Amino acid sequence: MLELSQAGWALAVLSAFAVGLSKGGLAMVGIISVPLMSLVMSPVQAAGLLLPIYVISDMGGLMAFRRNLNRRVLMLALPGAMAGIAVGWATASIVPVWGVTLIVGVIGLGFALNALIRPALDAAPRPPRGRAATIWGGLAGYTSFVSHSGAPLWQVYAQPLRLSPLVYAGTTTWFFAIGNLVKLVPYAALGQLSPANLATAGVLMPVSLVAVWIGLRLVRIIPAALFYRLITWGLLAVSLRLIWQGLSG
């Protein structure tokens, strides 16, 4: 097991709780997990520690959202996501994490500002399109591989579709659950699933499962208009945090 200080364990518990909330339907919350753990370890090690927690939390989310998903939206985006994960694996040793973090932050910030400044233009649902699904699904898959930060780019694709909160949350959970399961192979090949990481993740898994339950309760009672307003502001806050983190190197 990893040797962490009291502050380190506190951050680990918060990170696991954020992961669980994200799998309970509050997807944007999970993106703070790697930045939090990066305060006490390298981002690469943090990503390796958190992946098993993501996978176990996914199981809780999949059981809860087994009927709440849009299969067409999901199937259009998955091929791009698999390609993005493959590119992330192939370039893991040459692409700096800070650069990817900065790009994700800038894209998310632009989308959030557009939604807040011109909300009327985004009021009508858009149909899922294959090209957009492939592009944004691929970018989400790639950034998810690098630092579990695919949620902002997935949101750029999925939010304009104006799915109901439960279907949005369920489709998002299925998309990242499949991606996280696939990521286990390259993460293991890159040595990021060390025995110490796995043991520490095992201790934190109950925290994430409790958070999944809490997230499920919240997403079922939040009205649709408020739900999309909250995730847009959440995207804005997270994007600013990612830009700061990226510029800090």
Side-chain angles (χ1 to χ4, degrees):
M1 190 178 299
L2 297 176
E3 294 184 5
L4 298 173
S5 64
Q6 290 185 348
W9 276 110
L11 290 172
V13 169
L14 286 174
S15 298
F17 195 81
V19 170
L21 285 178
S22 73
K23 300 309 172 181
L26 305 176
M28 293 307 301
V29 180
I31 202 171
I32 69 172
S33 59
V34 172
L36 281 176
M37 289 308 301
S38 297
L39 296 174
V40 293
M41 63 181 63
S42 74
V44 172
Q45 185 179 17
L49 168 64
L50 291 169
L51 180 57
I53 299 173
Y54 271 97
V55 172
I56 294 300
S57 300
D58 285 332
M59 300 303 105
L62 291 180
M63 287 189 290
F65 292 118
R66 59 189 179 278
R67 296 186 182 90
N68 301 110
L69 75 152
N70 187 308
R71 288 178 174 81
R72 175 170 170 75
V73 170
L74 178 65
M75 297 309 296
L76 284 174
L78 279 177
M82 298 302 103
I85 290 171
V87 171
W89 185 5
T91 61
S93 62
I94 60 176
V95 177
V97 174
W98 67 264
V100 176
T101 301
L102 181 60
I103 291 171
V104 172
V106 170
I107 293 174
L109 177 63
F111 179 80
L113 289 175
N114 180 71
L116 292 170
I117 295 172
R118 304 193 300 167
L121 297 182
D122 295 322
R126 300 179 188 175
R129 297 184 176 92
R131 181 178 299 178
T134 299
I135 292 172
W136 294 111
L139 291 171
Y142 175 77
T143 53
S144 175
F145 179 86
V146 174
S147 61
H148 304 315
S149 59
L153 299 177
W154 165 260
Q155 188 171 330
V156 173
Y157 163 61
Q159 184 169 336
L161 305 179
R162 293 295 173 183
L163 306 172
S164 71
L166 281 177
V167 173
Y168 177 95
T171 307
T172 299
T173 298
W174 276 87
F175 177 80
F176 286 107
I178 294 170
N180 287 333
L181 195 61
V182 171
K183 282 156 54 178
L184 285 172
V185 175
Y187 266 53
L190 294 169
Q192 294 187 35
L193 300 180
S194 66
N197 270 359
L198 291 174
T200 306
V203 172
L204 295 169
M205 284 174 187
V207 175
S208 68
L209 291 175
V210 170
V212 171
W213 181 85
I214 294 174
L216 288 169
R217 295 301 178 272
L218 291 175
V219 79
R220 291 176 187 275
I221 63 175
I222 299 175
L226 177 60
F227 176 82
Y228 280 103
R229 194 176 305 121
L230 289 174
I231 64 173
T232 299
W233 280 103
L235 175 62
L236 178 67
V238 168
S239 297
L240 290 172
R241 174 65 178 82
L242 290 174
I243 290 172
W244 180 84
Q245 183 179 347
L247 291 174
S248 299

